[in-house]
Amino acid sequence: MSGAFADPAAAPRRIEATHRRIVLLALPMMLSHVTTPLLGLVDATVIGRLGEAHLLGAVAIGGVIFDFLFWSFAALRMGTAGLTAQAYGRGDDREIDRVLARALVIAALAGAALVLLQWPIGLAAFTLVGASSAVSEAAWAYYDVRIWSAPFAFANYAILGSVIGRGRTDLGLLLQVSINVVNIALTLVLVAGLGLGVRGAALGTLLAEAAGVGLGLVVLARLGSRPFAVPRVDLLEREKLLAMLGLNADIVVRTVALLLAFGVFTAYGARQGDVTLAANAVLYNMFLIGGYFLDGFATATEQLCGQALGSRDARGFRRATGLALFWCLVFGAGSSLLFLAFGNSFIDLISTNAEVRAAARDFLVFAALTPVVGAAAFTFDGVYIGATWGRAMRNLMLVAFAVFLATFLALMPLGNAGLWTALLVFLAVRGISQGLLFPRLARAAFAPAG
């Protein structure tokens, strides 16, 4: 797909793939990603310190439902980043705006669809989760408010993908931190200050997403981007629009399978009782922290690999992949060691409930291992997104999901330990399978045309 629609007047850019370059690209996004689990920590801490396990469980359930609903459409960020990076590598600046314009149209339509279908979607989600009545009632209150943020959240995906694809991770940092800082501030005011409970946490997120869209459009305008000025004939060009929709569809399926695995994880925890659900919610934030550090390098890899593919630099493409894998493994191992050393203090910070603390300590080692076990998966996610290998991503994720379910069912008698083991197996299979297929896909991507 990378060169199929290239502007013949475009001049390929030279792409630098070095240790220094990948770290400089990764650090801003790493910092921005850290604010995302910090938001979850603030929600969990503010609600958790109310002393009611069912309220903490409600935030966890609500978070997983919106992870599933919204991150199912995170293909907008990924697909936009990959296509933008390739256009940037080709030197095709006009196509960068066209990609963004198409992504914003898809974001508006998808967000409106979720708002219109909110009741049946919510009913299906809460039925599948099967939490206790107390947790479900509070989680519904959270859901009813936050669902209205869908159009804004999806537009932010498109804007962030365009910024990342251009290699401007500094601006990606600005956008993400701004959204999350506003969200954290509003959560503290609405929940702790005004006593609005879980509804306040949801409202804070909605308002922060809306503010993020406004800031993102200002940032794009400063870059000289004019997505709303793209001619309608270019916006709706059939071949390119179908190619983008096809890529997004593959990534959506991939993301749905990923989130289904996390959904099964949370749902089975809920069925083991409110204490286990709350304990897993505490540890899940630990998993997110490690994952978002790694995702900084995955994001850098999206840019470098996409740009290298667009400029037809096979050596730079493979070098960027190797550097990303090295740094992900280093940071994954370091994160795991930190979690093992300071995990007990982390648990005590998040929850004041003695039962929740004890249950979380029992499974701390599993959560601590997630960064190092998942390092390769994060690396190759970045490679496949930058290269827009959507179909391969989809198929390998479905394989990993099947292995996860088989492992979960086989280890179900072990209870929560079996559940965490299945999650670790899932992360490992994703990385290994993508790594094994990588050489063949890379050879095909840089094969001479015709």
Side-chain angles (χ1 to χ4, degrees), residues 350-374:
I350 301 303
S351 178
T352 60
N353 185 289
E355 290 182 286
V356 172
R357 286 177 170 180
R361 285 188 173 90
D362 288 340
F363 304 103
L364 170 61
V365 65
F366 294 98
L369 288 174
T370 54
V372 67
V373 173

Side-chain angles (χ1 to χ4, degrees), residues 33 285-296 335 339 370-371 378:
H33 292 325
N285 278 294
M286 189 179 295
F287 164 61
L288 287 178
I289 290 173
Y292 280 116
F293 272 111
L294 297 177
D295 207 32
S335 298
F339 289 151
T370 54
F378 280 90

Side-chain angles (χ1 to χ4, degrees), residues 7 42 53 78 140 148 154 162 200 228 238 304 323 348 382 432:
D7 183 344
V42 170
M78 301 176 192
W140 263 109
W148 291 89
F154 297 165
S162 183
F228 299 113
R238 185 174 183 274
L304 290 177
L323 293 176
D348 290 343
I432 292 170

Side-chain angles (χ1 to χ4, degrees), residues 226-239:
R226 301 175 61 202
F228 299 113
V230 171
R232 184 176 179 181
V233 64
D234 291 340
L235 178 66
L236 301 179
E237 189 173 343
R238 185 174 183 274
E239 191 175 7

Side-chain angles (χ1 to χ4, degrees), residues 73 76 101-117 121 150-152 154-155 158 235-236 241 245:
F73 292 91
L76 281 169
R102 296 181 193 115
L104 288 172
V105 169
I106 295 171
L109 294 175
L114 281 192
V115 170
L116 290 173
L117 297 172
I121 291 172
F152 302 113
F154 297 165
L235 178 66
L236 301 179
L241 188 59
L245 289 172

Side-chain angles (χ1 to χ4, degrees), residues 144-226:
D144 285 342
V145 175
R146 190 175 170 189
I147 189 66
W148 291 89
S149 69
F152 302 113
F154 297 165
N156 280 320
Y157 292 157
I159 292 168
L160 182 61
S162 183
V163 169
I164 288 173
R166 302 166 200 245
R168 294 302 305 270
T169 53
D170 56 334
L171 296 178
L173 170 63
L174 170 66
L175 293 175
Q176 290 297 94
V177 169
S178 297
I179 292 171
N180 290 321
V181 167
V182 170
N183 201 342
I184 289 170
L186 289 173
T187 297
L188 291 172
V189 171
L190 296 172
V191 177
L194 299 180
L196 297 182
V198 293
R199 286 185 179 275
L203 180 59
T205 301
L206 189 161
L207 295 174
E209 293 282 9
V213 173
L215 177 61
L217 292 177
V218 170
V219 167
L220 289 170
R222 294 294 298 271
L223 289 176
S225 188
R226 301 175 61 202

